[in-house]
Amino acid sequence: MRAAFYAPMKPPGHAVPSGDRSIARLFMAALERAGYRAQVASNLRTWSADPAAFAGLHAKAVAEAARLAAKWQNEPPDLWFTYHVYYKAPDWIGPAVSRALGIPYVVAEASYAPKRAGGPWAVGHEAAGDAIRSADLILSPTRLDMSCIEALLHNKKRNVFFPPFLDHRPFAEAAAARDVHRAAVAQRFGLDPDRPWLLTVAMMRDDAKRASYDVIAGLLADLPANGWQYLIVGDGPAAPAIRESLAPWQDAIRFAGACAPDDLPALYAAADIYLWPAVNEAFGMAFLEAQAAGLPVVAGNERGVPDVTQDGSTALLAPPTNHKGLAALTSKLLGDAALRATMGRAAADFVARERSLDGAAARLAELLAPLPGGRTP
């Protein structure tokens, strides 16, 4: 069984790391484990920060669709699988190729924002809507995404809640060697192993990421003095401004900069609490990574965050811009080692049980089987 895979926002082989690239790769791995040979169909990136670019991108996509349909005319793949469709990254290729070859069209993570209709993003908005309507199956990572696209679908059963997942094993293995990692991280960054450590893993961009860092600057002022240290992993164009906003706590904060993905499990395992307000965050893969390594989470409670955490069990959630509320939750965990340990165990169990790559692959096989040409799992 063959699956043509496409990610219009960022191809799986893109040189710049990001959550989007990571999730694309995870879906390819899940397809492989579900019994499909996943092949990247096209590296054409239709994402644009400027809607004026869509005319040229659309022309390229039409040509690419025609090329692929001709290439596969005599030996088509068994399905087309597109990851992440929205108004800035429409899919003009997948629906056209699927129609030409008579194969199922599957979309994972589709977003539809009616406020984009009629404005400068109308072309991308309409294209995203057309792709969503034509999909035989839509895998929605959050309940918010499900509700946003529901009005486009005559058959609501095509819209399935499929929460984010990850390969939890590297994080679980790191957690099993926590003492070793904590000693190494303490030495590397000059941290005191006898104090609880906060951890954030997030890029530093002048967008919603910067907004979350601004909330952090507010909440740190309400934490108990000298009772914590903080490791921040991430870099980007907003780094100088973010560092300046956090300067009052420079004695307690260590900036690790950008770290390789393979280094992250050890950093998570060494820490005590994962902190991120998640202002305007879709859902946040770092929350799954942190929990997989046994960290309790303090985060904002909006959009998809409640779908990747369990409030009160693996995480403590408050409105993402309420820095005092988030500070109170952080202080609660800082002052209660037993609670941190209990929530950390629950977090690791939650991810292993409900958000693992193997579990996602098994469910994916079940969902794809009824489609035309599908296989019995």
Side-chain angles (χ1 to χ4, degrees):
M1 302 287 283
R2 294 163 51 221
F5 187 92
Y6 179 52
M9 181 174 176
K10 181 178 282 189
H14 197 277
V16 179
S18 68
D20 216 73
R21 189 188 73 170
S22 297
I23 299 172
R25 292 178 175 184
L26 281 166
F27 268 113
M28 291 191 73
L31 282 165
E32 293 282 349
R33 297 190 187 197
Y36 291 82
R37 182 161 57 89
Q39 173 187 1
V40 175
S42 175
N43 286 311
L44 178 63
R45 193 180 186 197
T46 61
W47 178 89
S48 177
D50 180 3
F54 278 152
L57 289 172
H58 178 250
K60 290 180 180 179
V62 169
E64 181 75 333
R67 181 185 71 83
L68 291 172
K71 172 185 175 182
W72 290 330
Q73 183 175 9
N74 296 324
E75 193 176 354
D78 295 280
L79 63 87
W80 181 286
F81 192 106
T82 291
Y83 167 66
H84 204 177
V85 173
Y86 76 120
Y87 71 94
K88 285 188 177 180
D91 182 11
W92 287 295
I93 301 177
V97 174
S98 298
R99 284 193 301 268
L101 300 179
I103 61 174
Y105 175 58
V106 179
V107 175
E109 193 172 341
S111 301
Y112 189 73
K115 66 182 180 181
R116 302 298 176 184
W121 293 98
V123 171
H125 170 74
E126 292 169 7
D130 289 342
I132 292 166
R133 291 184 191 94
S134 67
D136 296 283
L137 176 67
I138 298 171
L139 307 176
S140 293
T142 72
R143 292 176 175 84
L144 177 62
D145 286 330
M146 289 188 73
S147 64
C148 288
I149 65 175
E150 190 173 57
L152 297 176
L153 305 175
H154 294 298
N155 182 0
K156 304 297 189 290
K157 293 182 179 179
R158 288 188 289 152
N159 187 15
V160 176
F161 178 53
F162 197 92
F165 59 94
L166 84 169
D167 184 356
H168 72 289
R169 290 172 299 181
F171 302 93
E173 290 168 1
R178 181 179 190 271
D179 291 345
V180 173
H181 293 310
R182 188 171 178 87
V185 172
Q187 183 175 15
R188 178 181 174 187
F189 295 105
L191 293 166
D192 181 354
D194 294 326
R195 295 187 193 181
W197 300 349
L198 305 173
L199 175 70
T200 288
V201 179
M203 296 181 70
M204 296 180 174
R205 299 192 301 255
D206 276 310
D207 54 14
K209 300 293 187 187
R210 172 69 184 277
S212 282
Y213 279 110
D214 288 343
V215 173
I216 287 172
L219 77 84
L220 292 182
D222 290 324
L223 296 186
N226 303 318
W228 51 273
Q229 290 186 305
Y230 189 6
L231 181 62
I232 298 177
V233 180
D235 204 350
I242 289 169
R243 286 173 180 251
E244 183 178 354
S245 71
L246 299 176
W249 302 276
Q250 59 184 335
D251 291 342
I253 297 177
R254 304 292 186 270
F255 292 96
C259 292
D262 289 345
D263 292 338
L264 291 178
L267 296 177
Y268 282 115
D272 296 280
I273 300 167
Y274 188 77
L275 172 65
W276 186 240
V279 176
N280 204 32
E281 193 95 20
F283 45 83
M285 287 298 291
F287 292 129
L288 288 181
E289 295 171 349
Q291 290 172 104
L295 288 191
V297 167
V298 175
N301 61 358
E302 293 181 358
R303 303 196 71 180
V305 177
D307 292 316
V308 294
T309 61
Q310 292 187 318
D311 191 14
S313 173
T314 73
L316 299 178
L317 307 181
T321 58
N322 181 359
H323 65 83
K324 288 190 175 296
L326 291 169
L329 297 177
T330 305
S331 296
K332 180 178 181 179
L333 284 174
L334 285 171
D336 194 335
L339 178 60
R340 294 198 303 269
T342 298
M343 292 184 66
R345 287 191 295 269
D349 180 67
F350 163 64
V351 175
R353 186 182 66 249
E354 299 188 30
R355 298 292 189 268
S356 72
L357 174 57
D358 285 338
R363 182 141 189 263
L364 187 59
E366 293 175 356
L367 292 169
L368 297 178
L371 299 179
R375 61 185 296 164
T376 302

